[in-house]
Amino acid sequence: MTAILVALGANLPSGRFGLPQSTLEGVLSLLPLRGIAVRACSRRYRSPPWPPSGQPWYFNAVALCETLLTPAEALTALHALEGDLGRSRSYRNQARPLDLDLIDFGGRVTGGGDWPILPHPRLQERAFVLLPLAEVAPDWRDPRDGRALSSLIAGLEAGHRCQPL
């Protein structure tokens, strides 16, 4: 089993679970059906859409999970689950009933033409990932450069914020 970190987000209702915060709760029960066992999950956070827009605020969390899947299989499973709950990937940064990002996969580092890119290429810019991540993996370090999670949090720009619920 490989330890993985999955960021969860939603800012629109889903047909299956209703309100975005209910979708985050419900999706935790669906991940094991896709080969991803949930071991821990952060509390929920609220964050404004990024980049700033007129969209509703997001509900966010990070789950510490384990899987026997490959990175590509895991991300494919996450995308399929998003689609099952109504996400359309028509354009980037659109409002959505579910957003699942593969943040880390056993500390692997990929890039270039690899898919997926690991760790998630924009995680260091996102308070709504870093703050809940600190709850489930406080000793996590960016495998690209070894920076501590606390250093990444300290480096967040002032405009990136989120509120624990």
Side-chain angles (χ1 to χ4, degrees):
M1 295 287 264
T2 302
I4 67 172
L5 294 163
V6 177
L8 302 86
N11 73 338
L12 294 177
S14 69
R16 181 162 184 178
F17 297 110
L19 295 173
Q21 56 270 43
S22 299
T23 298
L24 294 190
E25 298 302 321
V27 78
L28 294 172
S29 67
L30 298 179
L31 286 169
L33 303 175
R34 303 289 177 141
I36 300 170
V38 178
R39 299 299 180 227
C41 190
S42 71
R43 64 185 155 167
R44 306 316 171 251
Y45 285 76
R46 285 196 64 214
S47 64
W50 191 261
S53 71
Q55 292 180 25
W57 278 44
Y58 280 82
F59 289 86
N60 305 98
V62 169
L64 172 63
C65 304
E66 290 182 331
T67 190
L68 292 173
L69 301 173
T70 67
E73 290 169 337
L75 189 55
T76 297
L78 296 176
H79 286 175
L81 189 50
E82 289 176 340
D84 289 351
L85 292 180
R87 177 168 182 186
S88 166
R89 291 182 168 268
S90 302
Y91 60 93
R92 193 173 183 181
N93 298 320
Q94 69 189 58
R96 60 204 93 165
L98 182 62
D99 183 29
L100 298 171
D101 288 331
L102 186 56
I103 299 302
D104 183 78
F105 195 98
R108 290 188 193 187
V109 176
T110 64
D114 295 326
W115 188 84
I117 297 172
L118 294 167
H120 191 283
R122 291 174 301 284
L123 76 92
Q124 72 280 0
E125 303 165 5
R126 298 175 169 179
F128 60 85
V129 171
L130 296 177
L131 295 177
L133 174 57
E135 293 183 18
V136 296
D139 297 326
W140 185 84
R141 291 183 167 274
D142 189 328
R144 293 172 290 212
D145 58 17
R147 283 185 296 167
L149 182 54
S150 59
S151 175
L152 295 171
I153 291 170
L156 286 168
E157 292 181 20
H160 292 265
R161 64 190 194 280
C162 66
Q163 305 164 344
L165 296 177

